[in-house]
Amino acid sequence: MRMTCREVIAGLADYVDAALDMLTRARVATHLWMCAECRAYLATYERTITLVRSGQRVDMPAAARHRVTRELLERLRRGS
Ligand SMILES: [Zn+2]
């Protein structure tokens, strides 16, 4: 059962935080392996986190994290 890009992007924050259960995490990883688009989203997301953390020396606030996820979803919607 394959996940859609939308599902993967929606779960990306939890994936990065290792907050997904093992099965879901494996499904996301499999999707990322097959899908260059979602890999690009993941790279953007991780780069954003790195920027925020290096700038503020704190974890990305939940609000900012959700904003990034929303932006990714928005971009995905426009792209497809
Ligand atoms: Zn995808």
Side-chain angles (χ1 to χ4, degrees), residues 18-37:
L20 297 174
D21 62 90
M22 266 175 65
L23 178 63
T24 308
R25 188 173 173 78
R27 290 173 68 203
V28 171
T30 303
H31 182 101
L32 287 169
W33 184 66
M34 293 184 301
C35 180
E37 274 208 326

Side-chain angles (χ1 to χ4, degrees), residues 4-5 8 31 35 37-38:
T4 64
C5 291
V8 170
H31 182 101
C35 180
E37 274 208 326
C38 285

Side-chain angles (χ1 to χ4, degrees), residues 12-77:
L12 210 53
D14 287 337
Y15 178 78
V16 171
D17 287 347
L20 297 174
D21 62 90
M22 266 175 65
L23 178 63
T24 308
R25 188 173 173 78
R27 290 173 68 203
V28 171
T30 303
H31 182 101
L32 287 169
W33 184 66
M34 293 184 301
C35 180
E37 274 208 326
C38 285
R39 279 203 303 276
Y41 290 131
L42 178 62
T44 303
Y45 183 79
E46 287 183 325
R47 197 160 52 236
T48 307
I49 290 174
T50 303
L51 282 175
V52 168
R53 285 188 179 160
S54 65
Q56 303 182 356
R57 293 191 179 187
V58 292
D59 285 349
M60 184 185 268
R65 218 172 61 178
H66 292 153
R67 195 178 62 230
V68 171
T69 305
R70 262 204 314 277
E71 282 170 11
L72 291 177
L73 281 171
E74 189 58 39
R75 224 189 297 171
L76 188 67
R77 239 195 322 272

